[in-house]
Amino acid sequence: MRYLIVGNSAAGIFAAETIRGLDQAGQIIMVSQEDNLPYSRCLTSYLLGQEIPEQRIYIRNDNYYSETGIEFIGQNVEQVDARAKSVLLANGEKLSYDKLLIATGSSPFTPPIDGSNLEGVFQLRTLEDAKKIADFVPNVKEAVVVGAGLVGLKGAHGLHELGINVNVVEFAPQLMPLSLDSEAAGMVAGLLEKDGYRFYLNNKVVKILGEKNNNGGMTVSGVVLDSGEQIACQLVLMAVGVRPNTALVRDSGVKVNKGIIVNDRMQTSVEDIYSAGDVAETYDLLWDENRINALWPMATAQGIVAGCNMAGIERRYEGSMGLNSAVFCGVGVISAGILNLPDGEGQVFRAAEPQRNYYRKFILRDDRLVGMIMVGEIEGAGFLSALIRKRVKVNKTVVNQWLTDKISYQGYFSEGIPMGKVGQ
Amino acid sequence: MPKIYFRPERCDGCRACELACIEKHSQTQSIFMANLEKPSPQSRIRVSQSANQFAAVVCQQCLQAMCVEACMTGAMQYSESGAVIHDAKQCVGCWMCVMVCPFGAVIPLAEAKKAGKCNLCEEEKLPACVLACTRKALWYCTGEEYEIKAAGELECAT
């Protein structure tokens, strides 16, 4: 059996390891345009901020490919030919496969802003991006980050760690509009503002200004906001979202909506082609429809399911959900599931103590927990995310206790609520 | 692979397991000095109470562990024997593992900015909490051994 895996990040690595565990004799070929050992994209901002040395960004050891018997090829895959069961590499070579996994991830989306091609405009996705920014920052005193999602804020944190003044511009009226509600976002904004960050909410960058540099090129000198305001800066970090890398499956017959559509076995619409990770549009168990949840834990779980099915062991994916964890100025923030239900639907339990950066919000629908936010004390958050994932009915008295108490199994045995098969 | 099992009907909530775990994870290896240490050692096993029932929560060494899947740094891994092990040096304290562990058994060590979990006291013959549990509510054994012991206990009770 010849397994071909395109992509060497979370989904690709976990799929390859799963396949290797189930099929010691099979040939596993991994192709990625990033010619290096598997690393964690989530750590690029830590590398940028010099919080970790480069060697710690790698999630597997130096001999990983040889030890696991993975043949690694550092090439971009240009096109999938489903009829011939082969892929075309950028160097013109063709590779055949028996089972193919597309785990190409996603790429930062670059909005069409005047001046976004200037020197000093960056994005933060890959190890190379982080290194490019690191090379550029010695000349930077002031930076503008476009987008206050998790990537934008982590990137901003990295720059802040280097002593750069950071300005964050966000189109929405709050930080992290996809993963927090306005109250929790306000708390995070307060923390960061105290630390010296400046936020421009309800705003957007309409133009990036440039000036001539010593090399005859044009370098960033500032940005113009929608409000007319100008911010002088030497660096702009674009973090307005990502788009799935689906270009390689065009004309292959693989169905693509926003991402590559897969079923609960991670199979695409074409036989023997599977997809997992940020590029795949998988079943979201809370929204009850296919969605892209471009998150590390979802990518690894999908990679494992894909690996099992590729190696002939049937495994079904239970579904994705929104799930985020971040730490701001030492304060943990975790959110899961659906955070904003339409008015009149569901029931919300909340507790806020802004003076000690404590916030909890639980969202119930049909007596089931469908979403939660925890700021401050985050211990036991996994218990709640398991209840959300398993769609367990919860007791409202217990939910009320969780607003202030430690979250644990307590109450669950005595209330007679079945735990079901949480976790396994 | 042996792991720690909990028998709720035997537990009287004395929390000796928590103390033993704190001691084990202290620099000084002394429960009396542990309180003075920075960062202060935390128990990896947690006893909670509801009415007159107690529940001890500790890492279940899942075969397919959500903490390993969620760990964005590769710090959470499987050992060769199949236990879930945590490399504190690699950990950056992002709390992704805390976010997904359905048992709440991964503990955020806020001072150290690292996640903490039960390592089965790998260098000892018996985990400290199991040794400390005088009511034998904690068992350290394999799944097969647990089933035999639990079935035997049920027989004695009826």
Side-chain angles (χ1 to χ4, degrees), chain A residues 253-274:
Chain A
V254 171
K255 279 204 181 116
V256 178
N257 183 26
K258 278 182 182 142
I260 295 176
I261 300 169
V262 293
N263 62 14
D264 60 358
R265 277 163 286 177
M266 297 293 129
Q267 289 168 313
T268 67
S269 56
V270 174
E271 211 184 338
D272 295 328
I273 302 182
Y274 298 72

Side-chain angles (χ1 to χ4, degrees), chain B residues 92-150:
Chain B
V92 295
C94 70
W95 312 143
M96 299 268 271
C97 46
V98 177
M99 171 179 78
V100 297
C101 175
F103 303 104
V106 185
I107 287 140
L109 305 175
E111 281 175 78
K113 293 185 182 150
K114 305 273 182 189
K117 68 176 283 297
C118 169
N119 63 350
L120 295 170
C121 293
E122 52 200 350
E123 71 283 11
E124 306 287 340
K125 219 175 147 199
L126 267 184
C129 57
V130 177
L131 207 58
C133 185
T134 51
R135 294 178 65 98
K136 304 243 179 300
L138 293 173
W139 296 356
Y140 179 66
C141 54
T142 64
E144 292 77 8
E145 286 165 351
Y146 174 81
E147 278 178 24
I148 294 164
K149 273 174 82 173

Side-chain angles (χ1 to χ4, degrees), chain A residues 40 56 300 325 379 385 414, chain B residues 46 50 69 72 90 94 99:
Chain A
S40 173
R56 270 178 67 193
T300 57
S325 171
E379 202 175 324
S385 64
S414 60
Chain B
R46 294 283 165 94
S50 168
E69 288 175 22
M72 65 181 205
Q90 183 68 14
C94 70
M99 171 179 78

Side-chain angles (χ1 to χ4, degrees), chain A residues 336-351:
Chain A
I338 299 175
L339 304 176
N340 295 303
L341 283 174
D343 281 340
E345 216 183 292
Q347 202 177 352
V348 174
F349 295 74
R350 45 182 295 288

Side-chain angles (χ1 to χ4, degrees), chain A residues 315-333:
Chain A
R315 227 1 178 10
R316 287 174 190 270
Y317 182 56
E318 72 175 342
S320 303
M321 61 187 229
L323 201 55
N324 282 291
S325 171
V327 180
F328 300 102
C329 308
V331 177
V333 179

Side-chain angles (χ1 to χ4, degrees), chain A residues 40 42 56 58-60 296 300-301 304 315 324-325 327 378-379 382-383 385 389 408-409 411 414 422-424, chain B residues 46 48-50 55 57 62 64 66 69-73 77 89-91 93-95 98-99 101-103 108:
Chain A
S40 173
C42 309
R56 270 178 67 193
Y58 297 104
I59 54 171
R60 295 292 185 266
W296 185 271
T300 57
I304 292 169
R315 227 1 178 10
N324 282 291
S325 171
V327 180
I378 47 102
E379 202 175 324
F383 181 55
S385 64
R389 191 170 50 249
S408 70
Y409 275 109
S414 60
V422 170
Q424 291 294 304
Chain B
R46 294 283 165 94
S48 61
Q49 181 177 9
S50 168
V57 174
C62 302
Q64 190 183 331
M66 301 201 69
E69 288 175 22
C71 180
M72 65 181 205
T73 67
Q77 283 289 333
K89 282 201 294 292
Q90 183 68 14
C91 179
C94 70
W95 312 143
V98 177
M99 171 179 78
C101 175
F103 303 104

